[in-house]
Amino acid sequence: STTVLQWLVDHCSPDVLCYQSILGTVCEENGETTDCREHYTPLLAALFMSQVETAIWILENAPTSATLANADGMSPLHIIGWTGLPSISAELRTAALERMCHTLVEKKAGLLTTVRGLQSREDEFAKMIRNKTPLEIAVGQKSSFPKQMLHLLTEAYHYPAQSRRLFIEMNIIAKANPAACVELLGKIQERAPNQVQQSLRAEVRRLCVVGTNSHVNMFVETLKMSPIAAAKLLVLLMGEPRVADPQRYHLPLYTVLPNREMICPYQPVEL
């Protein structure tokens, strides 16, 4: 309840919005609590219970809570990637997720933050979230996040001009929902139509410099799982030669590149 939270802020301290509950282990023999760790913040609890309005209110009054993690190392975006606001009705869920994810990113929530720790745990939940970003958790089969909305957890969508992860994130999404890859490309082109091609080419050039074939393997995987998205990637990566008189010297979009040398499939006009 925002009313209760406001009362606590007024009568205690604004810092109460960033306080974390304490998680500990109670000894059955003597009743003592050990291994105490900071756990859920009010924001994490609100997201876990799908209370969007409360979560937005907390973020507006305590923006630093957007980066605080629980005892398992899960940040607010990790909680969303895991639960997907399940208590909200289907017709309202899309708008709620868009609003919540946009607000968290505006408050500097980490899209690439991974779940740290849990190395000593072997339970299924720890295996599901360990060392994963919010997107990597959301694509999992045990996540309740709507797979058609995966673009909301990508850096390429929120930061199209600066991001160099479209190629990688499309590969991650393709494994969960091929149609979501096409959705991601479409959403990015809506937000920054002049940036997609430039950012994608810069990302692939960086992957090539690494000296491995990881980018080729990722593309082949994406092609197998989402052929339409892979074809759109190829169009964005393809270079179109520029000529002074395209009516006279027609060049097709697709060219042959043997040994990294461009050979255009046409014969020049003889004067």
Side-chain angles (χ1 to χ4, degrees), residues 146-159:
K147 299 303 185 276
Q148 73 275 16
M149 303 293 292
L150 288 170
H151 62 274
L152 292 174
L153 297 176
T154 65
E155 187 187 69
Y157 169 72
H158 290 284
Y159 304 107

Side-chain angles (χ1 to χ4, degrees), residues 40 90 97 105 187 191 212 267:
Y40 270 64
L97 279 169
V105 173
K187 292 290 184 181
R191 290 169 65 87
T212 65
Q267 295 295 322

Side-chain angles (χ1 to χ4, degrees), residues 243-251 266-271:
V243 294
D245 188 356
Q247 297 298 325
R248 184 176 185 185
Y249 303 102
H250 173 68
L251 295 177
Y266 82 107
Q267 295 295 322
V269 176
E270 296 183 4
L271 299 177

Side-chain angles (χ1 to χ4, degrees), residues 202-233:
E203 178 186 355
V204 174
R205 282 197 297 269
R206 179 179 59 80
L207 291 170
C208 291
V209 171
V210 174
T212 65
N213 290 325
S214 61
H215 61 294
V216 177
N217 296 332
M218 278 191 288
F219 178 76
V220 171
E221 284 183 345
T222 305
L223 179 64
K224 290 179 179 178
M225 293 177 285
S226 182
I228 295 176
K232 290 179 179 291
L233 280 178

